[in-house]
């Protein structure tokens, strides 16, 4: 099942994507999915980020090949950081290049969307709390990341958390291929079978720190091949069983 969030008649609502048609659903998709009577052609609505997280928890260094690329030892526990909810954009939106950075990178990642409140869940039960999966671009001002001890600024600019195009609920997260394309050229390609910490292990770890809420996003880390983007570029994160998240890099006009 593919859950979309979209704008129609000046308001945001959720729906189920079936082929090229969206069937509206009543309320939010986190508890009971109640399909409604209204149908909308996909081409005639504007897709929005598929959820509105209270927070985004992201993983640093969670692929073996990325650790090798950086000549970095495998971390002995997951390395986490937060991205603010105000950084979220959806499919087709612009990533705004901040004037204070000269090096903004893409990081293609598989993202987990949380279904119901989670607090101290076991590894075995962790996936019961997942609504589904989506594509994520953990946009990063790399020069500022190296300059600051904390990554809040480098990871936190508005538009630096691209999410979408929708949430796929039926997916085995243990073995999907994540690809990133810049202007149509393949830049990153890895299977989640190369993850250092699996998705149940990540949820278990984070839920022993903080309560995860419906709609919260966990970005599971990026594989090797990160690199810069510039205004005018088009960046895509493709995960076949989900779809393609496409965004455009633009100059800061302000
Ligand atoms: Mg990342």
């Amino acid at each position: 099942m593919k859950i979309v969030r979209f704008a129609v008649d000046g308001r945001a609502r959720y729906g189920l994507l079936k082929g090229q048609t969206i069937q509206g659903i009543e309320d939010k998709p986190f508890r009971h999915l109640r399909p409604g009577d209204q149908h909308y052609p996909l081409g005639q609505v504007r897709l929005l980020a598929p959820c509105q997280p209270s927070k985004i928890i992201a993983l640093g260094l969670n692929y073996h090949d990325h650790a090798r690329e950086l000549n970095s030892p495998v971390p002995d526990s997951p390395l986490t950081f937060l991205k603010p909810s105000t950084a979220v954009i959806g499919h087709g939106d612009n990533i705004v290049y901040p004037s204070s950075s000269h090096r903004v990178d893409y990081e293609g990642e598989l993202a987990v969307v949380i279904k119901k409140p989670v607090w101290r869940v076991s590894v075995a039960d962790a996936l019961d709390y997942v609504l589904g999966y989506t594509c994520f671009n953990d946009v990063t001002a790399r020069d500022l990341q190296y300059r600051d001890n904390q990554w809040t600024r480098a990871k936190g600019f508005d538009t630096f958390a691209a999410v979408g195009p929708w949430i796929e609920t039926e997916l085995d997260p243990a073995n999907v291929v994540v690809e990133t394309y810049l202007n149509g050229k393949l830049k990153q390609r890895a299977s989640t079978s190369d993850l250092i910490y699996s998705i149940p292990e990540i949820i278990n770890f984070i839920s022993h720190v903080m309560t995860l809420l419906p709609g919260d996003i966990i970005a599971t880390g990026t594989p090797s091949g990160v690199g810069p983007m510039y205004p005018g570029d088009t960046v895509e994160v493709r995960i076949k069983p989900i779809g393609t998240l496409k965004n455009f890099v633009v100059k800061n006009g302000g």
Side-chain angles (χ1 to χ4, degrees):
M1 201 163 57
K2 288 180 165 61
I3 298 172
V4 294
R5 196 168 146 264
F6 60 102
V8 65
D9 301 332
R11 71 183 187 109
R13 61 176 303 185
Y14 287 93
L16 301 177
L17 180 64
K18 296 174 177 173
Q20 294 298 303
T21 302
I22 297 171
Q23 180 175 18
I25 59 176
E26 308 301 331
D27 204 16
K28 292 179 179 174
F30 300 105
R31 285 183 165 207
H32 311 288
L33 269 179
R34 286 193 295 129
D37 299 331
Q38 285 165 310
H39 292 77
Y40 309 89
L42 177 62
Q44 288 179 24
V45 303
R46 190 166 73 85
L47 286 181
L48 303 171
C51 55
Q52 295 176 288
S54 75
K55 55 190 169 296
I56 300 160
I57 306 94
L59 274 278
L61 208 63
N62 196 32
Y63 277 89
H64 289 287
D65 74 331
H66 189 42
R68 277 193 295 273
E69 166 186 65
L70 297 175
N71 238 340
S72 223
V74 170
D76 54 14
S77 64
L79 172 64
T80 55
F81 58 92
L82 288 173
K83 288 174 81 86
S85 59
T86 42
V88 169
I89 57 170
H91 174 72
D93 289 343
N94 291 335
I95 295 166
V96 180
Y97 211 104
S99 50
S100 52
S101 173
H102 301 287
R103 168 79 193 242
V104 173
D105 282 12
Y106 53 80
E107 292 191 2
E109 308 192 9
L110 174 70
V112 177
V113 180
I114 295 296
K115 181 179 186 170
K116 49 191 179 182
V118 202
W119 166 242
R120 292 188 179 167
V121 72
S122 66
V123 171
D125 292 340
L127 292 185
D128 294 346
Y129 294 83
V130 173
L131 176 67
Y133 302 88
T134 189
C135 308
F136 192 85
N137 193 338
D138 174 19
V139 180
T140 303
R142 195 69 70 201
D143 48 354
L144 304 183
Q145 185 184 25
Y146 291 143
R147 200 179 307 164
D148 297 348
N149 277 330
Q150 303 278 334
W151 298 353
T152 304
R153 179 166 67 140
K155 298 281 192 178
F157 284 98
D158 284 5
T159 77
F160 270 29
V163 192
W166 39 69
I167 299 164
E168 174 58 66
T169 60
E170 284 138 53
L171 181 86
D172 174 10
N175 191 11
V176 287
V177 173
V178 180
E179 295 176 326
T180 309
Y181 290 79
L182 189 68
N183 303 321
K185 271 201 195 123
L186 180 65
K187 296 289 184 180
Q188 294 184 286
R189 186 173 200 279
S191 165
T192 53
S193 62
D194 190 44
L195 282 176
I196 295 170
Y197 293 101
S198 71
I199 286 162
E201 288 169 336
I202 294 167
I203 296 170
N204 163 260
F205 180 84
I206 296 170
S207 78
H208 282 75
V209 179
M210 64 187 83
T211 302
L212 293 166
L213 298 175
D216 279 357
I217 291 173
I218 300 173
T220 57
T222 202
S224 62
V226 299
M229 310 182 284
Y230 296 99
D233 286 346
T234 299
V235 63
E236 292 166 71
V237 179
R238 297 185 197 167
I239 302 175
K240 233 183 212 141
I242 302 173
T244 298
L245 166 69
K246 187 193 263 195
N247 297 98
F248 309 98
V249 184
V250 302
K251 230 183 356 204
N252 189 348

